[in-house]
């Protein structure tokens, strides 16, 4: 019985299923020698028939259970959604077998950012749909350092003042000018220019360099993403301890 070498040198249990009924159409695969990792918050139930022909490497006994799916078929996303819907789980991208650890690491990063609902319930997410979030917060210490480097300059403001300044700065960087920022914020352009003059006093000549503007934009994105994740986690913690979701219920993230 063959198996995959798992990240960290461990071995998972190889789950073999009986073959499905014959079909006239050959099964298309994502490519030779590829694998897809799935980070789990809890051990899943039996897989649906759509996974009956797949060899699933399942490591379910540790504190961070996961699956590795060799050579996933194009229908794998649909099958995984059917299997894991209603559970907190993250599906990593399809990668070469030698990069299985990376797919699992990215999946675990996104899982750590997601709200932890009671009893392992939650939302099934796919890394491919959240690449920017995973990239920004893959290294929390480094992300926090970048955020503190630039946004720490706003610490002397009141919370309301800081929120307005961060919103204005983000709209200005994304829009490309005061007029565009005013449209995004739905306020008068003169208000934006007034705030920008204050921001220029705080940040100095940094706002005139492309490198600094790029880093500030990243810092604002990191701060916004982290704040939203924290808000969702608090919301999950406030739920009754025995709240669960059915396997078909669609648990959506608030935007």
């Amino acid at each position: 019985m063959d198996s995959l070498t798992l990240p960290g040198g461990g071995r998972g249990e190889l789950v073999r299923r009986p073959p499905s009924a014959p079909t006239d159409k050959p099964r298309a695969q994502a490519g030779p020698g590829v694998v897809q990792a799935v980070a789990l918050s809890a051990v899943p139930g039996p897989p649906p028939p759509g996974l009956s022909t797949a060899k699933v490497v399942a490591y379910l006994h540790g504190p961070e259970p996961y699956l590795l799916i060799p050579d996933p078929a194009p229908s794998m996303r649909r099958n995984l959604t059917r299997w894991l819907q209603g559970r907190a789980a993250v599906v990593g991208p399809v990668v070469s077998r030698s990069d299985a650890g990376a797919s699992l690491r990215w999946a675990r990063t996104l899982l750590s950012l997601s709200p932890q609902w009671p009893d392992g319930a939650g939302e099934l997410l796919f890394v491919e749909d959240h690449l920017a979030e995973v990239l920004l917060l893959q290294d929390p210490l480094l992300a926090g350092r970048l955020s503190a480097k630039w946004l720490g300059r706003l610490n002397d403001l009141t919370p309301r003042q800081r929120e307005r300044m961060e919103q204005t700065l983000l709209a200005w960087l994304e829009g490309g000018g005061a007029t565009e920022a005013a449209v995004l914020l739905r306020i008068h352009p003169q208000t934006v220019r007034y705030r920008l003059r204050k921001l220029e006093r705080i940040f100095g000549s940094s706002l005139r360099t492309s490198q600094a503007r790029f880093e500030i934009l990243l810092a604002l994105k990191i701060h916004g993403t982290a704040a939203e994740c924290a808000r969702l986690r608090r919301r999950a913690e406030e739920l009754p301890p025995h709240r669960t979701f059915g396997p078909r219920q669609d648990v959506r993230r608030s935007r």
Side-chain angles (χ1 to χ4, degrees):
M1 181 178 291
D2 59 345
S3 182
L4 289 176
T5 300
L6 305 184
R11 294 293 245 200
E13 53 188 282
L14 186 62
V15 181
R16 289 187 182 274
R17 309 290 175 190
S20 58
T23 177
D24 294 333
K25 295 182 180 180
R27 190 185 76 171
Q29 294 188 343
V34 296
V35 66
Q36 189 167 32
V38 183
L40 305 167
S41 63
V43 176
L51 287 173
S52 61
T53 60
K55 295 183 298 183
V56 180
V57 181
Y59 185 79
L60 306 176
H61 304 298
E64 297 181 305
Y66 63 90
L67 309 173
L68 290 179
I69 304 173
D71 302 321
S75 60
M76 187 56 65
R77 179 168 181 141
R78 182 176 65 252
N79 291 330
L80 287 172
T81 299
R82 179 182 175 188
W83 184 13
L84 301 173
Q85 187 67 45
R87 297 178 181 272
V90 175
V91 182
V94 177
V95 297
S96 65
R97 293 197 179 197
S98 61
D99 293 328
S103 181
L104 180 58
R105 183 174 69 253
W106 298 332
R108 282 177 170 168
T109 295
L110 185 55
L111 184 62
S112 71
L113 299 175
S114 306
Q116 301 301 304
W117 304 94
D119 303 318
E123 186 176 8
L124 175 63
L125 302 174
F126 291 80
V127 170
E128 290 288 357
D129 298 334
H130 300 272
L131 289 173
E133 296 173 50
V134 174
L135 177 63
L136 287 175
L137 297 177
Q138 181 70 31
D139 186 334
L141 185 61
L142 185 60
R145 196 170 185 88
L146 178 64
S147 183
K149 172 184 175 181
W150 293 109
L151 303 187
R153 305 184 185 202
L154 303 175
N155 287 345
D156 291 337
L157 303 178
T158 67
R160 181 58 183 153
Q161 289 173 333
R162 176 169 180 148
E163 181 183 9
R164 286 198 299 262
M165 289 301 177
E166 288 177 352
Q167 291 173 347
T168 302
L169 190 52
L170 180 60
W172 177 69
L173 290 169
E174 290 184 330
T179 302
E180 293 80 2
V183 172
L184 291 172
L185 296 173
R186 298 181 180 180
I187 59 177
H188 196 280
Q190 191 59 34
T191 303
V192 173
R193 295 188 184 94
Y194 171 75
R195 294 179 185 175
L196 287 174
R197 286 194 293 270
K198 282 191 170 182
L199 287 167
E200 191 167 7
R201 288 196 293 269
I202 294 172
F203 288 91
S205 60
S206 299
L207 293 181
R208 293 192 287 272
T209 68
S210 58
Q211 178 66 26
R213 289 197 301 270
F214 174 69
E215 290 190 6
I216 293 170
L217 179 59
L218 285 181
L220 288 165
K221 292 292 188 181
I222 289 168
H223 178 70
T225 300
E228 176 67 3
C229 291
R231 186 186 71 81
L232 290 171
R233 281 185 172 276
R234 288 194 300 271
R235 178 184 168 193
E237 291 169 357
E238 292 168 357
L239 290 176
H242 299 297
R243 177 177 175 180
T244 59
F245 300 98
R248 293 277 184 180
Q249 187 166 345
D250 190 9
V251 184
R252 297 291 182 186
R253 229 192 245 193
S254 300
R255 295 294 182 186

